[in-house]
Amino acid sequence: MGAAMARLSVLPFLASLIIWEAVARSGLFTAFVLPSASTVLLRIWADAGTGELFIHLGVTLYRALVGFLIAAALGILLGLMITRVALVRWFFEPIISIGFPMPKIVFLPIVTLWLGFDDTLKITMVVVDAVFPVVTATIAGVAGVEKELTWSARSLGANERQMVREVLFPAALPQIMTGLQVALPVALIVCVVAEMLTGGKGLGGAMLGASRVADSPGIFAGIVEIAVAGY
């Protein structure tokens, strides 16, 4: 049953490719505006054959995953501290309230001035964006811990470190995992956008290079590659 469902889940993608191919060959659009699916797939195959695809894909995934892991560690630590330390809560709560809905990509020009155009820039932008969902999820998870658990731990003589490590963090973990699930695609999105804006290696940088030389199949190939990487 599971194998049959997995095969059926592929059908929408195949149908999309067939529709794309039919529309591209219908004459409604020029090959520059909408290259055919077969042309784009051949371009991806050629890039894979030369190794260029795997270089760009590896660079993008490296930046996104490193940034995500840093954001996860910082977000959980900061979220726990905000819920337990009044001074930390006083300082960071207004920053989180203002920064969470703000598109953090606006900091890219400033971070570029500070860090240049290498991996550090992209990873930093990923951290800045991905840390917010983790922090807010950690705060919400700790706030939702039943008071009876903390009262019982206190009555048994648990100190603050034991309270956080053995009671609050395990109880808040499902909510924290939800924040991590949100942060992971955010990390990839921000990484690709930063690459598109600054160039260099990576899937976003490859798309930027293709657009500069009006390489339409290369641009569409980049879209497909990013979609597969995101999946």
Side-chain angles (χ1 to χ4, degrees), residues 97-224:
S97 299
I98 296 173
F100 186 79
M102 179 182 180
K104 271 70 73 178
I105 199 68
V106 299
F107 293 110
L108 182 62
I110 297 174
V111 179
T112 302
L113 290 176
W114 292 346
L115 302 177
F117 292 90
D118 60 4
D119 287 352
T120 307
L121 164 67
K122 281 84 170 182
I123 293 173
T124 300
M125 291 305 305
V126 170
V127 173
V128 169
D129 262 271
V131 73
F132 282 88
V134 183
V135 171
T136 54
T138 303
I139 294 172
V142 173
V145 175
E146 296 179 359
K147 298 300 182 183
E148 289 79 3
L149 290 176
T150 58
W151 293 339
S152 299
R154 288 297 187 195
S155 67
L156 292 172
N159 57 35
E160 185 65 22
R161 181 175 297 179
Q162 291 172 325
M163 177 74 71
V164 172
R165 186 179 66 249
E166 300 178 16
V167 178
L168 296 179
F169 178 74
L173 191 57
Q175 187 73 30
I176 294 173
M177 292 299 296
T178 300
L180 294 175
Q181 287 179 326
V182 174
L184 184 56
V186 168
L188 180 61
I189 292 168
V190 172
C191 182
V192 171
V193 171
E195 290 172 350
M196 285 182 176
L197 294 175
T198 59
K201 296 291 184 180
L203 296 177
M207 286 187 66
L208 177 64
S211 68
R212 286 174 173 171
V213 295
D215 180 6
S216 182
I219 296 173
F220 278 85
I223 295 173
V224 174

Side-chain angles (χ1 to χ4, degrees), residues 19-29 34-39:
I19 293 171
W20 177 5
E21 185 76 17
V23 172
R25 293 181 179 275
S26 66
L28 295 174
F29 303 97
L34 183 65
S36 66
S38 57
T39 301

